[in-house]
Each structure stands twice: as structure tokens, then as C-alpha cells.
């Protein structure tokens, strides 16, 4: 079994500088669990920084000797080594030379953007103002989250990395409500099952996918832009599920016949125009993340 592990490990080209001593890692509770793996809360003692304890998140596999899970984890590790942006989840280290393999990433205290939005909606409905630092999402927050996601995605597009599963569930919210794009890799993990349509062995996040991804399994920066439009809609609706009441199986034909989600009540026509632009049938007609980011930045300037 050890041989098997090392065989897979050697398919990758990992930089040894990331290797972390697993004895210095204290694992805690499960933060999330999916089809291919799980994420745990953990702590490391920072020797260089007056021995303070840092909370981190650790990604690992659920089943030993499962090559699919292992490949998913190692390919995510591979990708994370290459990225560095304030709005993209940061790799801190890995325990990968021995089993079980762990990758250590920054901890995001508010969890997923989707859960934050839904909690904030509940607070608003209850007339509560603050629980565990979660505050009702304001119009400025909507613009700020959208702008931050555009910046992270613009960076990924610049380094030619296509995400393929951009959704509010895959954006994490760190201290200061900083958005961090996460969960990219060759094999996607599934944290909220109902969003993914079971199709052969793959689960596909149909409601976030562009028509060309649904039809031909093509993924480009422009299909990420389509998904971003759906994320914008999720933010404005405080975490509603896209295309309410529409079964995923019917979506492709609806989209091809020109159907799009209507403007949510609390969405300005100006922002709705941006979302609609992301959902252009012709991928070339969709805006770039740079252009979208500039738009949100200027809208933010106006409400500051
Ligand atoms: N859930 C999944 N990844 C996480 C992270 N990095 N921080 C907090 N919660 C998470």
C-alpha cells in the first residue's frame, strides 16, 4: 500500500519546501466533508512568532488507499503551489511524504460565502444584528464581495487557471470578510450535494454552468464568467439557490431558448445588466473579470 501511495506521489512535481512536520499539527473538528475528502480545523504552534497558536484548515482524504481521492488532493496541492493572491485561498504547507496526506491552507473563520449569506439573511429576518461576527449584508457588502471575487478570478484568468466550479459554496470568507476563491483542482469536491446533478460518475453543478459547458464539457475563462454571474445572483439574494423551482434536467433547453433568471427585487438595473452580460449566449460577448472588477470598483466608489 505504501508503494501505491508513493507511485501516485511521484507522478507530481512537488516542491519540498512545503513539507510540514505533522507532529506540529493538532487536528480538531471537521469543517466540511465531501465525496472526495474532508476539511478539518487544526492548529499549529508558530515557533518564529512568540509560540502563538495559529488556526489553519487541513484538507485530507476520507478513505485510505483510494486513488481517486488521492489524485484529487494531490492535484489540488499542485495547483495551490502556483497561486498567490489575497482573494485566493493560500497554501501554508503539506504533510505529503507520508500517509495520510494532508494539505494545510489558511483558515477562513466565517466558512463559505453561501453559509454566511444565508446566516445573515436569518439574522435580518429575526431582527438580530450580530451573531459570532456575522452581520446583515448591506448593499455595499454585495458590491465588495462581488469585486473581491472578480479580483481573485481575474488573477486566476491571468495565470491561465480555469476554476470550473465557481459558486458561493466555493468562496470562503476570512477575517475582515475577505473573500477567498477555493476548491479548485482537476477533480472537484462536493460539499452540498443538491447543487450537483448525478451524471455517470461525475457530479455536475448544472445551475452554475454555461450552456457550452453543459453541452460540450468545455471550460474556459468565459465559462467561469458565466458562473460568476450566478454567484452575483446568489450574493444579491443572500444565498438562494439559482433558478428556483427549475429542475436541473430542464435547464439546458431553457437556456438555449434564451431563458435567464429575472432581476431579483433588491437588485439595481445597473447590476442586473452586469449579471445578464455574464450570461451572454456567445462566450466572446461576456465581459472579462477585469472589466467586471472595474465596474464593481467604480460602483463601490460611488457608495463609499
Ligand atoms: N471549510 C472548508 N475550507 C475551509 C477553510 N479553509 N476555513 C474554514 N472553513 C473551511
Amino acid at each position: 500500500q505504501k508503494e501505491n501511495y508513493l507511485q501516485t506521489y511521484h507522478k507530481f512535481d512537488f516542491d519540498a519546501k512545503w513539507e510540514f512536520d505533522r507532529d506540529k499539527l493538532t487536528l480538531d473538528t471537521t469543517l466540511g466533508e465531501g465525496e472526495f475528502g474532508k476539511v478539518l480545523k487544526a492548529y499549529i504552534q508558530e515557533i518564529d512568532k512568540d509560540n502563538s497558536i495559529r488556526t489553519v484548515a487541513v484538507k485530507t482524504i476520507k478513505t485510505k488507499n483510494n486513488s481517486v481521492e488521492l489524485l484529487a488532493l494531490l492535484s489540488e496541492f499542485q495547483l495551490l503551489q502556483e497561486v498567490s493572491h489575497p482573494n485566493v485561498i493560500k497554501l501554508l504547507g503539506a504533510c505529503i511524504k507520508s500517509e495520510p496526506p494532508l494539505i494545510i491552507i489558511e483558515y477562513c473563520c466565517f466558512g463559505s460565502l453561501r453559509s454566511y449569506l444565508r446566516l445573515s439573511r436569518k439574522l435580518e429576518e429575526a431582527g438580530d444584528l450580530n451573531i459570532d461576527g456575522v452581520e446583515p449584508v448591506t448593499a455595499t457588502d454585495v458590491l465588495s464581495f462581488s469585486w473581491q471575487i472578480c479580483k481573485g478570478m481575474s488573477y486566476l484568468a491571468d495565470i491561465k487557471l480555469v476554476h470550473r466550479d465557481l459558486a458561493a459554496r466555493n468562496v470562503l470568507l476570512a477575517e475582515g470578510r475577505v473573500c477567498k476563491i477555493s476548491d479548485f483542482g482537476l477533480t472537484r469536491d462536493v460539499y452540498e450535494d443538491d447543487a450537483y446533478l448525478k451524471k455517470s460518475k461525475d457530479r455536475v453543478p448544472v445551475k452554475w454552468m454555461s450552456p457550452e459547458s453543459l453541452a460540450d464539457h468545455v471550460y474556459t475563462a468565459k465559462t467561469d464568467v458565466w458562473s460568476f454571474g450566478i454567484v452575483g445572483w446568489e450574493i444579491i439574494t443572500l444565498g438562494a439557490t439559482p433558478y428556483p423551482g427549475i429542475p436541473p434536467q430542464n435547464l439546458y433547453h431553457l437556456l438555449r431558448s434564451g431563458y435567464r433568471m429575472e432581476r431579483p427585487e433588491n437588485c439595481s438595473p445597473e447590476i442586473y445588466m452586469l449579471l445578464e452580460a455574464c450570461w451572454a449566449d456567445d462566450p466572446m460577448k461576456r465581459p472579462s473579470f477585469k472589466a467586471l472588477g472595474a465596474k464593481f470598483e467604480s460602483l463601490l466608489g460611488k457608495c463609499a
Side-chain angles (χ1 to χ4, degrees):
Q1 294 306 353
K2 189 158 182 238
E3 282 305 302
N4 278 345
Y5 178 71
L6 288 174
Q7 265 171 20
T8 310
Y9 170 82
H10 284 299
K11 286 191 188 129
F12 291 86
D13 175 30
F14 297 134
D15 189 334
K17 76 173 184 193
W18 295 106
E19 192 67 21
F20 188 83
D21 182 358
R22 70 173 73 223
D23 295 337
K24 296 200 171 77
L25 197 61
T26 309
L27 301 178
D28 191 11
T29 49
T30 301
L31 293 168
E33 200 159 313
E35 198 171 19
F36 297 125
K38 59 182 176 184
V39 182
L40 307 167
K41 194 176 184 179
Y43 311 96
I44 52 179
Q45 194 154 8
E46 300 196 289
I47 309 131
D48 46 334
K49 293 179 193 156
D50 56 45
N51 279 355
S52 61
I53 306 286
R54 178 173 184 177
T55 306
V56 296
V58 164
K59 276 201 155 185
T60 187
I61 54 176
K62 291 205 301 189
T63 17
K64 223 180 165 234
N65 307 321
N66 179 310
S67 57
V68 176
E69 284 189 37
L70 183 60
L71 271 173
L73 189 77
L74 296 184
S75 55
E76 184 165 14
F77 176 52
Q78 176 101 313
L79 284 177
L80 284 171
Q81 289 184 82
E82 321 276 325
V83 302
S84 169
H85 187 276
N87 299 112
V88 177
I89 196 81
K90 199 168 133 160
L91 179 68
L92 301 175
C95 310
I96 219 101
K97 287 185 175 162
S98 58
E99 291 180 272
L102 311 173
I103 63 178
I104 310 166
I105 56 176
E106 59 186 324
Y107 175 70
C108 300
C109 60
F110 293 116
S112 83
L113 177 60
R114 181 174 191 264
S115 67
Y116 187 92
L117 293 166
R118 295 174 81 100
L119 196 55
S120 120
R121 187 220 295 251
K122 272 196 191 145
L123 291 179
E124 209 164 72
E125 283 166 1
D128 237 327
L129 283 179
N130 184 325
I131 289 180
D132 292 339
V134 177
E135 288 170 27
V137 169
T138 63
T140 308
D141 294 332
V142 168
L143 295 174
S144 169
F145 294 159
S146 308
W147 176 55
Q148 294 183 58
I149 296 167
C150 282
K151 282 191 296 178
M153 290 306 297
S154 185
Y155 165 78
L156 293 179
D158 281 346
I159 63 166
K160 308 271 181 261
L161 203 155
V162 178
H163 189 291
R164 306 204 298 176
D165 197 6
L166 180 61
R169 65 183 168 273
N170 290 333
V171 175
L172 295 166
L173 212 51
E175 185 84 57
R177 297 191 299 165
V178 178
C179 295
K180 310 263 180 185
I181 314 286
S182 85
D183 275 286
F184 42 99
L186 287 178
T187 320
R188 245 118 262 302
D189 214 331
V190 180
Y191 288 96
E192 272 154 276
D193 284 6
D194 57 349
Y196 298 81
L197 182 69
K198 187 105 187 158
K199 194 177 174 186
S200 67
K201 273 185 183 160
D202 292 319
R203 283 169 171 274
V204 191
V206 171
K207 289 187 169 182
W208 282 260
M209 286 164 72
S210 67
E212 72 270 21
S213 304
L214 287 168
D216 307 318
H217 305 284
V218 291
Y219 295 92
T220 63
K222 293 300 186 190
T223 63
D224 278 347
V225 168
W226 176 290
S227 308
F228 171 77
I230 307 290
V231 175
W233 185 94
E234 292 183 274
I235 296 172
I236 289 160
T237 59
L238 300 181
T241 299
Y243 308 96
I246 297 177
Q249 310 77 285
N250 298 356
L251 198 61
Y252 179 72
H253 290 287
L254 277 171
L255 292 174
R256 280 300 188 208
S257 67
Y259 175 84
R260 297 293 184 270
M261 284 193 281
E262 59 186 48
R263 180 169 69 87
E265 244 174 68
N266 57 340
C267 178
S268 70
E270 207 170 8
I271 291 179
Y272 184 63
M273 264 179 38
L274 293 179
L275 302 185
E276 272 194 307
C278 295
W279 303 329
D281 232 329
D282 178 356
M284 299 308 289
K285 295 215 168 92
R286 296 173 203 154
S288 65
F289 281 114
K290 265 212 173 48
L292 284 165
K295 270 279 188 203
F296 285 111
E297 187 168 343
S298 95
L299 289 170
L300 263 171
K302 281 178 203 157
C303 68

